[in-house]
Amino acid sequence: MAYTTPFSSPYAASSATTSGTPLAYLQSSVETASPSKLLVMLYERLVLDCRRAVAAQEAGDHAVAHHNLLHAQDIVVELQSSLRPGVWDGSEGLNSIYSHLTVQLIQANVQRDVTITSHCLDLVVGLAEAWREAAAEAARPADAVRSA
């Protein structure tokens, strides 16, 4: 995959300035984040891409919608490629969701259909929330998890 940022990240901010300050901060955040935090960051960017695509489609700005839908597809492909079927029992189901999302994002783009894009947004919002909660729980000390 080819990305426009110097560190080849599918969740890089699209509003980097020429001074590089926001981009440098993002790069530092990515480089120091835990795997679970990186996953949450990917989902947050996926939600943002879908929201931007919905807004662009509603405004009739198909070029912006296209850009965001392509970026969302890249993120889903990255998420899908990171699945480890032998490590987690839920990976088969999540793989199916990722496959469905990929097809739907393509259809939303080709058909310029905000209804399909909204469906994708609903799915990724729910997934993002679930991963955010899982990451927060994983970050808690073991003693706090046992007493909860």
Side-chain angles (χ1 to χ4, degrees):
M1 288 182 264
Y3 298 102
T4 58
T5 64
F7 56 97
S8 298
S9 172
Y11 41 86
S14 60
S15 61
T17 65
T18 54
S19 70
T21 304
L23 188 57
Y25 174 77
L26 178 62
Q27 183 174 357
S28 175
S29 297
V30 169
E31 290 172 352
T32 59
S34 68
S36 60
K37 178 61 179 168
L38 286 173
L39 187 63
V40 170
M41 290 170 74
L42 273 172
Y43 271 106
E44 287 173 350
R45 181 55 198 252
L46 181 56
V47 169
L48 178 63
D49 286 342
C50 289
R51 283 192 175 131
R52 286 177 175 171
V54 166
Q57 285 176 324
E58 288 173 342
D61 191 343
H62 301 297
V64 170
H66 173 74
H67 173 77
N68 284 286
L69 289 167
L70 286 181
H71 196 256
Q73 289 170 44
D74 287 344
I75 293 172
V76 173
V77 167
E78 182 67 28
L79 290 167
Q80 192 168 27
S81 71
S82 71
L83 284 176
R84 296 183 185 164
V87 176
W88 180 53
D89 292 338
S91 64
E92 287 286 323
L94 193 53
N95 187 50
S96 294
I97 292 170
Y98 289 154
S99 293
H100 172 74
L101 263 173
T102 299
V103 169
Q104 293 301 300
L105 288 166
I106 292 167
Q107 289 301 314
N109 203 0
V110 169
Q111 296 175 16
R112 298 179 172 178
D113 189 334
V114 70
T115 304
I116 298 172
T117 308
S118 294
H119 165 72
C120 294
L121 176 59
D122 291 343
L123 281 174
V124 299
V125 164
L127 287 169
E129 183 58 32
W131 282 110
R132 205 175 292 115
E133 289 174 15
E137 186 164 324
R140 281 197 254 155
D143 293 340
V145 173
R146 276 186 245 135
S147 65

